[in-house]
Amino acid sequence: MAAPNQSEIEAKVLHIEQSNQFPDKWYLELEILESKNITGGNFAQTGDKVKAFTIQSSLNFAKNNIITAQAEFLGDAHGGFFRLNNIEVFKP
């Protein structure tokens, strides 16, 4: 398991899918454009395409938007997801 970690990322939204089980959970596919380590290891590398999720009732962004967010990697060497918080639209 990844130790506690947090990064500030800028990413392009490639895909959005709402969870079938939880209406406030959204699955995302992102392309990392920039990543700044805050604490722990930095698992978000520029150029990577990653899976992520966020918990919120509705989204303030859409596919192809550029967003910034705080990202925590949850997983291990075999894969995982980034949990996103404080998401803001950087560029439409």
Side-chain angles (χ1 to χ4, degrees):
M1 290 294 289
N5 64 86
Q6 193 166 37
S7 299
E8 180 75 28
I9 64 166
E10 179 181 314
K12 181 175 183 178
V13 179
L14 303 176
H15 183 76
I16 300 171
E17 185 177 332
Q18 190 172 17
S19 169
N20 292 329
Q21 289 183 302
F22 307 102
D24 60 346
K25 186 172 188 177
W26 302 84
Y27 293 103
L28 310 169
E29 183 181 353
L30 306 172
E31 179 181 354
I32 303 295
L33 303 176
E34 289 185 27
S35 177
K36 177 183 166 190
N37 188 42
I38 297 172
T39 60
N42 187 352
F43 297 92
Q45 301 300 314
T46 302
D48 283 355
K49 290 188 171 95
V50 301
K51 294 179 181 180
F53 72 92
T54 188
I55 307 291
Q56 45 191 43
S57 56
S58 62
L59 300 181
N60 61 343
F61 59 89
K63 183 179 175 183
N64 294 321
N65 282 169
I66 305 297
I67 60 169
T68 60
Q70 289 181 346
E72 178 184 11
F73 182 72
L74 305 172
D76 58 24
H78 303 289
F81 285 84
F82 285 88
R83 178 172 52 195
L84 304 183
N85 291 303
N86 302 325
I87 301 170
E88 294 183 25
V89 176
F90 185 66
K91 297 175 188 169

